[in-house]
Amino acid sequence: LYSTNNKGFEPIYNELSIGFCGAAGNQCREYKIRNESIKYFKNSDIKSNIIIRKYFIRRFNDKQQKQYRLKDFTDIIRDNIFQLTPRGAGNFSLRFFETMAYGRIPVLPLSDNVLPFEDKIDWENVIIMGNTFEELESKMKEWYNKGEIFIKEKQVQCKRVWNEYLSMEGFCNEILKE
């Protein structure tokens, strides 16, 4: 599912926007952060491209899952430079990894996320992360205002980090080096 080599995703530079497609949820404290971040960006002056689902993807029938996963979800990622990637119920964000795989820039509201290979990847210079929503918004605007070349280079960098460290092949190669 996450092999994106032949899906035609290229760096983009269009209107400043942030995407999200998925369930908001309410089962735990982490979903509160997700809901608050969705609400914040829906009300910010940054264009938001957000689709909220009533349930997590696995609760829908096969036909709906295919539509939501293969069309809606990938369209949101493809069409937006930045993707909102708050963690879910686990200590990670699957959406974060999917965004990296597609060569888009994750926007990660920090909670107690653990990022892989922190000793090898300068995450602060690869993705947008911050302790407040205002900080995230400010960094997005700052990066975007650096222009097309900068934004496209950041997307290429995200895709490279995915390939070298986070894809199955990259992850295994890094673990074997250890």
Side-chain angles (χ1 to χ4, degrees):
L1 182 60
Y2 301 112
S3 174
T4 60
N5 293 334
N6 298 317
K7 292 197 189 279
F9 286 89
E10 297 291 328
I12 61 170
Y13 186 75
N14 51 17
E15 181 180 10
L16 173 60
S17 63
I18 187 166
F20 178 89
C21 181
N26 59 11
Q27 295 89 340
C28 60
R29 179 185 72 86
E30 288 71 26
Y31 281 112
K32 182 178 181 214
I33 294 169
R34 178 182 284 190
N35 292 338
E36 289 172 356
S37 59
I38 290 167
K39 182 178 178 183
Y40 179 86
F41 283 104
K42 275 187 158 183
N43 294 316
S44 80
D45 61 349
I46 293 176
K47 178 185 172 190
S48 63
N49 190 358
I50 295 174
I51 297 175
I52 301 298
R53 299 282 182 229
K54 188 173 182 177
Y55 305 111
F56 180 68
I57 190 79
R58 300 281 186 250
R59 288 195 58 192
F60 293 100
N61 67 44
D62 290 343
K63 182 179 177 184
Q64 290 171 313
Q65 283 188 40
K66 187 173 183 179
Q67 167 70 29
Y68 297 165
R69 163 75 57 201
L70 300 179
K71 174 76 174 101
D72 299 348
F73 186 79
T74 54
D75 283 352
I76 293 282
I77 291 177
R78 183 181 52 246
D79 296 342
N80 296 276
I81 296 167
F82 297 101
Q83 294 297 310
L84 185 59
T85 62
R87 69 176 274 186
N91 193 12
F92 66 95
S93 166
L94 184 56
R95 185 171 285 98
F96 170 85
F97 294 103
E98 292 165 325
T99 298
M100 296 289 290
Y102 288 115
R104 295 298 184 257
I105 304 168
V107 175
L108 183 64
L110 293 181
S111 52
D112 54 354
N113 294 54
V114 175
L115 295 174
F117 302 109
E118 288 181 321
D119 58 326
K120 297 178 181 184
I121 301 169
D122 181 10
W123 285 111
E124 295 254 352
N125 289 307
V126 176
I127 67 170
I128 301 287
M129 48 194 221
N131 293 311
T132 67
F133 304 131
E134 293 81 8
E135 184 181 358
L136 295 171
E137 180 179 18
S138 175
K139 286 182 179 180
M140 286 173 60
K141 289 177 179 178
E142 178 187 327
W143 280 22
Y144 184 80
N145 289 332
K146 290 182 179 184
E148 182 175 357
I149 293 171
F150 179 85
I151 289 295
K152 285 184 173 181
E153 285 174 352
K154 286 298 179 188
Q155 291 172 68
V156 169
Q157 184 180 25
C158 286
K159 183 67 171 171
R160 183 184 53 76
V161 168
W162 164 260
N163 288 333
E164 292 178 12
Y165 294 97
L166 307 176
S167 68
M168 182 63 76
E169 182 180 349
F171 185 82
C172 290
N173 286 338
E174 283 303 311
I175 294 299
L176 290 173
K177 287 179 189 177
E178 300 289 322

